[in-house]
Amino acid sequence: MRRLLILLLVAAALTTGCTPRPGGRIVYGLTLSPSGIDPHINASSELGIPLTSVYDTLVYQDPKTGEFVPGLAQKWEVSEDGKVYTFYLRRGVKFHDGTPFNAEAVRFNLERITSPDLASQKARFMLGPYERTEVVDEYTVRIVLKEPFAPLLDSLSQVYLAMASPTAVQKWGSEYQLHQVGTGPFLFVEYIPGDHLLLRRNPDYAWGPPVYGHKTAQLEEVEFRFFTDPATRSPALESGEADVMGEIPPQDAARLQGSKDFRIEAVAIPGVSLMLFMNTARPPLDDLRVRQALLFGTDRRAIISAVFRDTSPVACGPLAAVTFGYNPMVCEFYPYNPDQAAALLEQAGWKDTDGDGVRDQGGQPLALDFYLMGWGYMPEVGQLIADQWSRLGVRVNSQVVSYPEALEIAKEGRHHLMPFNLSGSDPDILRRFFHSQGGFNWSKVNDPEMDGWLGEAARLSDRNRRADLYSQVQMRVMESALIIPIRDYVNLNGVNNRVQGLRFDAQGWFPWLIDVTLAQ
Amino acid sequence: MLERALCALAIPPLGAVSPRRPLGRQPLAMLSLLWLAAVALGAVLAPYLAPTGPMATDPSRALLPPGPGIWLGTDFLGRDVLVRLLWGGRWTLWMGVEALALAVGLGLPLGLAAGGTGGLRDMVLMRLVDAWLAFPGLLLAMAVVAILGPGLSSVAVAVGLAAAAPYARVARATAREIRAQPYIDAARAVGASPWRVILRHILPNAAPALVAFAATQLGWVLLNGAALNFLGLGVPPGTPEWGAMLAEGRAYLRDAPWAALAPGFALTLTVLAANVLGDWLGQE
Amino acid sequence: MLGHGFRRLLGAVLVLWLAATLAFVAMQLTPGDPAQTLLAASGASPEEVARRRAQLGLDDPLPVQYARYLADLARGDLGVSWLHGRSVGRMILEQLPATAELALAATAFGALLGVALGLLAALYRDTWVDTLATGLAVLGLSTPVFWSGLLAILLFSLYLGWFPSAGGGDLRHLVLPAATLGFALSGSVARLVRAQVIEVLRMPFVMAALARGLPLRRILLLHVLRPAVGPAVTVVALQLGFLLSGAVVTESVFARQGLGRLAVQAILWRDLPVVRGVALVGALAYLLTGLLADLLQVWLDPRLRE
């Protein structure tokens, strides 16, 4: 009996020896030098990667189910008209500087975000038609909207609307972003812009949401560094200078996957897929047949395999397949069919009359202006598309432009084609792209019926009815051939095998570092 | 003093180098000339040597190593690297020449006007050039590309403008050095106008040094064009300009080193050849 | 002497004003609306974008904007970054040490390598040593930093494991970026030193020293190298603008902080206050190095102390 006990003890010791132990430190490679990291002010996705672990949000979204679960708010109610959200806050929560978290803190944060003086670049707009916040009692707070806004909970689950310590914000003023104080599982230790950002374990953390696997963080420290040059990311991971590295280029991912020391954790990002917007207001793309021809004439499979080494799914429609409300029916549209493309162009009157390999009509060649930005594999994709279409008799004039120029060109409608992608877990993101008043209406679409669906879906709180409306929108976008979807965004995270338990939130970008452990 | 240093950079000082020997007796200069001629010839004959053009992709043949028929291998879209190099000579040389023409066309009159006349005009012009030099070259180039809109010519203008300031400096320094010679005093004494002095006496004497400096600037111009490409602000995607090919090929360095090494070597050899020829031209 | 100093100061102020104006004009001509650039991706409505534009003072007539721009400058107020939402002065001060460190180390490396190569080439003029040294120098001149930097990372960091590839902090982190950038600088120094040494070697005083039986090494060090290095110093100083440009790429490849990356980001986001700040710092550094180089040169070459 005793012998058995010893054996068991030894076995237990052995197994614990193999399982991860708390403590340790990792270096996490970010891919952009963030443009300011105050989540209430700045807009970059990179800031959320470290800061999601510094702050808590009122609610969390379960990435598996898409449901919202309690965070700093234990429960919440939405009024019948969808304009008043009442949150019942968790008690006993303290900011890292000892300031108690309560209804007043929530009000302070939301007022800060919506104050014009702060000049918020993102958080303000995530609150939609926000009107005011009312403190009901110490632990009850009410957010009042001017009109219903369905994405509110989704917004409140993101780090941009995280709860910061009012004391620290007031103390540091415009330098707050170097001294951030939240309630989360890690403390913000220091940030040397452009060099590194350091987080340390918060030993007092005890109010994590149910989606977290641990009560407190398992790692002692996490250091973030900024690897803007894609070609150097994999070398840094392989030489041990980083333990986790975001956005590994596909060709390097293939090599890492084959090694025994590293793995690739591919995370599909919800939102708007990488797609080419076709300017329906500018001839010849005002002709539906020409737009359809371009869709039929694009071999997306070949693009995915050549540029992305099959690491991303082919996009079928405007929404990435992992986004809430995605309608798989869009995949029925426009399979690669160059013959049909040619036929449609012929029907539309585009024939190669002068034998120069480019179709023409009325003396005008079929030439399209394609503006793209120098990142996100747009140049690589653009080259393949230009070559594929040249075989159809379509000439493409590609130019690389900077983001502000692209916005200007789009506003003036000087483009025929322009690619973009944007991440976001709520399908309301479609409104920016396909509503006639949307800021990214690069297709120049003006479809009152679609405007109506998008507007209504943004006000409804019933998830099923929202999903139906977004399904209709996606079908309409493809029927009208407004876009050429290319690929769903997939973040290829290169991970050293000693790092375990890496999980990401519903946005796909932001890791839950609390659960990360180191193998011995 | 800045002038003196720049002068020394541009011009091997009088008597410091051997007198210019005929090309045939300077193998390095000869080889350089041959290389540049080969690049130019390749660029001219590209449509006949490689009629499919530099853009035709074939992903099924991506990243093939060098071998028979594809002497320098293929790139990530299955394009023949040698074919792109040949065609790329057109873009690369054109960009270099365009940028240099701008640098010289702007810098030379500015420098001569300042150095050939002196006085307040000199002072004002040179402070302008100083401000220009002090503004980080690459940032100036980025701003210019943004202003002119994208394309090869914008890149050429951008780097050409940035290169014009040092060129003006060198032109001024050379002009001043020559202006100090006794025969210039003589010309002025007989009543020649300042501009006549500059055009008839200073320019011809400064020419070898200025040509030499222009040749060495070719390297600077090509490198900064390439750096703009690296920063995502360059030529249209797929352009076989060598700097762009290098910026694109380096991402595949570990899978297909030839796609980056080939344009890298072509770029280096061209700049080397321009420098050697510049030295040769700068000799008395 | 005082007159000279005053003229120099006046010239410096003129250069600073011109550089600031250049930055302002360039950013005005650059297409793209800063407010729209900041807010477009967040789904802000056109009215909200317009409000932000007004808030940034972009609706005022250009002369008013320019006057305000200069007035802020005269007060030493560099303003608040539109993108970062922080004081530009602080942001620049944060990045300056890293950039200065890189620039100094790269210059030192480039100068040493350049002087060595130039000296060798001059002493063994028209032999294979000359060809090799000159060839190496031109290799530096003709290799883009984004290319040599990646090769250096793969070789010295990944395969050999000698130096880290990324970040800053200690000297080990500085080796690869400084060597990469310095290599690019060494080319022009080597060319210059070679020409200068050849010139000095022909001077009568060198002949005289040789005739007096002084050891060659001593002659080289005291009489040849010292005056020859002076102009090289000036050329290095002149390359400061280039250095900052090279630093942009070096910082990106080696994941370092620095002014270069800050400046590129500011241009890409039309962040005028930061562009202005960097342009001013660049101009100031240029003027200072010019002054230092002149002083250093006088110290190195006694012939210039009239």
Side-chain angles (χ1 to χ4, degrees), chain A residues 229 238 309 383 387 400, chain B residues 57 63 79 150 248 250 254:
Chain A
D229 177 4
E238 290 169 73
R309 304 293 176 93
Q383 291 178 51
D387 191 48
V400 178
Chain B
T57 63
L63 302 177
R79 297 173 296 200
E248 194 173 68
R250 75 193 274 281
R254 293 167 76 188

Side-chain angles (χ1 to χ4, degrees), chain A residues 67-87:
Chain A
E67 295 297 328
F68 294 98
V69 298
L72 289 178
Q74 277 176 317
K75 59 187 171 85
W76 56 91
E77 290 155 5
V78 186
S79 68
E80 201 62 25
D81 64 359
K83 290 193 203 170
V84 181
Y85 285 68
T86 309
F87 293 92

